[in-house]
Amino acid sequence: MAILAICGGKKTKTKAFPTWPQWNDEDEKALIEALHSGRWARNNQKISNQGGYIEKLEERVAQIHNAKYALAVTSGTAALDIAVRAIELREGDEVIVTPYTFIASATCILNSGGVPVMADIDYETWNIDVEKLEQYITSRTKAIIVVHFGGQPTNMERLMEISKKNHLKVIEDVAHAFGARWNNKPVGTIGDIGCFSMQSSKNLTCGEGGIILTNNEDMYKKIYSLHMCGRNYNGAWYQYEYLGWNYRITEFQAAVAYSQLLRLKDMDDIRRKNAEYLTQKLNEIKGIKVVKTDSRVTNRVYHLFTFRYDSKGFNGLSRKRFIMAMNAEGIPCHEGYIHPIYKNNLFLKCKKVNYTDTYCEEAEKLCKEAIWLHQEILLGDKKDMDEIVEAIKKIKTNIKEIKR
Ligand SMILES: *Cc1c(COP(=O)(O)O)cnc(C)c1O
């Protein structure tokens, strides 16, 4: 009789993990209130929107981050697109970005006529390797887009030092890292512009949505204009200053996000506690190496729980088969990005730059070793975490049952 679930044995996990998104009566009340208010979107005249959920959300997000300005928009992709437009690239300007990220972190550069330059990541943190950053800087480099992957802040002190020295703008893609802090500074406010996503998988969600942070008044006015079809910040409705789009969020989205935000910190605390427990347990298992949190991170948040899988610790069992075995045991996990973003046809077919020679060694390696668990798993209880550990140990002990 087989023991492993993949071979017909009993599953480790019988009770399901928490699902996502989660909602309650407060969310419902806020949503209905937005409906009944008769004000479903941001008005053209800023002043008449006062008291709406969009404004309440922006105020609260700015306050949490100690930022001067927050602007809610339709998505994280829109936020990034606006941010890159706001730094006004000239055709062919280079922007440095990690290749281990969601596509929008780089396509936003292409959309403004810029050239994404892929810089390799750090083995331990999976973020852009700040110590290698300078080798990617040329006379055409205009900015860096930094992603705090999985909720793990990048070394922003070093990154800002390099960017200042080289007169580069810094855009933070904080889609995974709402509330995270590097050395007590909230990420998203350390660079020039920070971009959040509220897409349905994210820790703060309303289905779709994005938020942009900045401390610079002129930048804020430009960003505001760019999300409002390019309309002058202080001008009349028929006056246009920039090439902008309609990136306006609705009151329905803002109402849900605002209500969700009231519970975010409590949820982050649960995720962190579980993640720290899981980290300790999994790092004891040969062949598993959880992504490292830098000691200068003063608030780690978890959008993803990630680790490297080394088949040598599992009698040569491939990552693919290991994941299949885990899924069969009732533990949802997957391999994440199967290649760095520059391996997508989008880049390989790019006429402007030849990406066929681009090779980031660490990112390539990580794409072959990584395993991701999603944030909602971390909303479970201690027993849920123990069952993850148990499933891995069970696979290890009975590995002979599975064909490599
Ligand atoms: C989700 C995500 C985005 C884009 O956000 P959307 O709201 O889905 O457009 C950008 N960057 C990263 C790293 C993301 O995970």
Side-chain angles (χ1 to χ4, degrees):
M1 240 313 250
I3 295 170
L4 294 178
I6 195 171
C7 302
K10 275 221 291 276
K11 273 180 165 192
T12 307
K13 187 100 183 80
T14 45
K15 186 179 131 273
F17 282 107
T19 56
W20 193 258
Q22 297 179 1
W23 62 92
N24 67 13
D25 292 349
E26 294 302 309
D27 299 346
E28 186 175 326
K29 235 170 76 188
L31 189 55
I32 297 298
E33 195 187 315
L35 178 78
H36 291 180
S37 75
R39 176 185 50 211
W40 291 358
R42 199 196 296 275
N43 281 320
N44 293 348
Q45 265 64 47
K46 287 177 290 294
I47 201 75
S48 55
N49 193 51
Q50 262 172 14
Y53 274 110
I54 297 171
E55 199 163 83
K56 275 166 75 171
L57 174 68
E58 289 170 343
E59 266 171 22
R60 185 88 188 98
V61 171
Q63 188 190 23
I64 289 170
H65 291 86
N66 246 328
K68 284 212 181 96
Y69 306 98
L71 182 80
V73 295
T74 45
S75 71
T77 303
L80 286 164
D81 192 50
I82 292 168
V84 178
R85 280 169 198 275
I87 61 170
E88 299 188 27
L89 298 181
R90 290 159 308 170
E91 189 68 32
D93 276 350
E94 294 171 3
V95 180
I96 297 172
V97 66
T98 168
Y100 197 79
T101 183
F102 176 62
I103 199 76
S105 314
T107 44
C108 60
I109 304 164
L110 290 173
N111 222 23
S112 275
V115 176
V117 173
M118 312 285 174
D120 209 354
I121 56 159
D122 169 56
Y123 177 83
E124 296 283 1
T125 64
W126 306 18
N127 283 327
I128 206 163
D129 189 338
V130 288
E131 294 311 328
K132 288 191 198 142
L133 209 51
E134 282 190 296
Q135 73 191 51
Y136 298 95
I137 297 174
T138 72
S139 57
R140 298 302 311 262
T141 311
K142 178 86 188 245
I144 304 170
I145 296 183
V146 54
V147 182
H148 306 289
F149 190 80
Q152 153 93 296
T154 304
N155 180 349
M156 286 305 286
E157 249 138 49
R158 186 77 184 105
L159 190 132
M160 292 311 289
E161 200 176 277
I162 295 164
S163 66
K164 281 197 181 108
K165 193 173 121 197
N166 294 280
H167 311 288
L168 307 178
K169 294 273 188 238
V170 175
I171 295 170
E172 292 180 78
D173 179 343
V174 259
H176 296 182
F178 192 107
R181 286 167 186 248
W182 174 268
N183 236 339
N184 291 317
K185 287 200 193 106
V187 295
T189 66
I190 307 170
D192 297 279
I193 307 170
C195 301
F196 291 113
S197 164
M198 299 188 289
Q199 177 266 344
S200 49
S201 74
K202 304 291 152 72
N203 296 21
L204 174 66
T205 185
C206 54
E208 296 285 358
I211 299 174
I212 309 175
L213 292 179
T214 184
N215 281 317
N216 180 308
E217 188 181 349
D218 291 336
M219 189 63 96
Y220 172 73
K221 287 179 175 169
K222 197 194 282 183
I223 284 166
Y224 190 97
S225 166
L226 284 166
H227 107 296
M228 185 64 86
C229 311
R231 187 170 297 146
N232 288 33
Y233 182 77
N234 283 320
W237 62 268
Y238 46 77
Q239 287 180 310
Y240 297 89
E241 183 77 21
Y242 302 103
L243 177 60
W245 303 123
N246 175 357
Y247 279 146
R248 293 188 300 257
I249 196 169
T250 65
E251 279 288 300
F252 308 122
Q253 289 162 288
V256 174
Y258 180 79
S259 183
Q260 293 265 324
L261 183 52
L262 300 176
R263 301 194 298 280
L264 182 65
K265 195 184 168 299
D266 290 344
M267 286 189 164
D268 278 337
D269 290 346
I270 296 169
R271 287 188 199 101
R272 186 179 311 106
K273 186 164 159 253
N274 280 328
E276 284 171 359
Y277 177 71
L278 208 48
T279 300
Q280 182 212 327
K281 291 284 176 195
L282 296 195
N283 278 340
E284 289 168 5
I285 301 174
K286 193 167 162 277
I288 304 274
K289 194 167 189 289
V290 179
V291 65
K292 206 169 158 188
T293 296
D294 193 290
S295 59
R296 291 159 290 182
V297 170
T298 42
N299 195 35
R300 169 77 151 94
V301 298
Y302 286 86
H303 173 60
L304 298 167
F305 183 87
T306 53
F307 58 86
R308 284 180 195 259
Y309 172 80
D310 182 357
S311 59
K312 286 203 278 303
F314 289 80
N315 199 29
L317 183 74
S318 71
R319 176 179 64 166
K320 195 170 169 201
R321 301 286 290 170
F322 173 79
I323 288 170
M324 284 167 70
M326 284 287 276
N327 293 163
E329 295 297 336
I331 314 294
C333 61
H334 61 89
E335 59 199 354
Y337 311 123
I338 58 160
H339 49 61
I341 52 173
Y342 53 76
K343 287 267 175 77
N344 283 290
N345 280 337
L346 160 72
F347 287 105
L348 295 177
K349 287 189 301 194
C350 181
K351 290 194 182 70
K352 214 155 47 176
V353 196
N354 181 7
Y355 283 99
T356 55
D357 297 334
T358 302
Y359 186 78
C360 295
E361 196 180 341
E362 292 298 336
E364 297 268 352
K365 219 161 61 186
L366 183 56
C367 288
K368 294 189 175 70
E369 297 175 357
I371 296 183
W372 300 7
L373 276 77
H374 286 199
Q375 53 89 9
E376 64 267 28
I377 301 281
L378 300 174
L379 290 171
D381 53 22
K382 183 164 172 291
K383 184 157 182 287
D384 290 319
M385 299 307 113
D386 283 331
E387 283 171 333
I388 297 172
V389 182
E390 205 181 298
I392 298 175
K393 287 186 173 165
K394 184 180 161 195
I395 293 168
K396 197 164 190 142
T397 313
N398 300 284
I399 201 131
K400 295 233 161 67
E401 284 187 6
I402 319 175
K403 283 202 205 77
R404 279 188 249 171

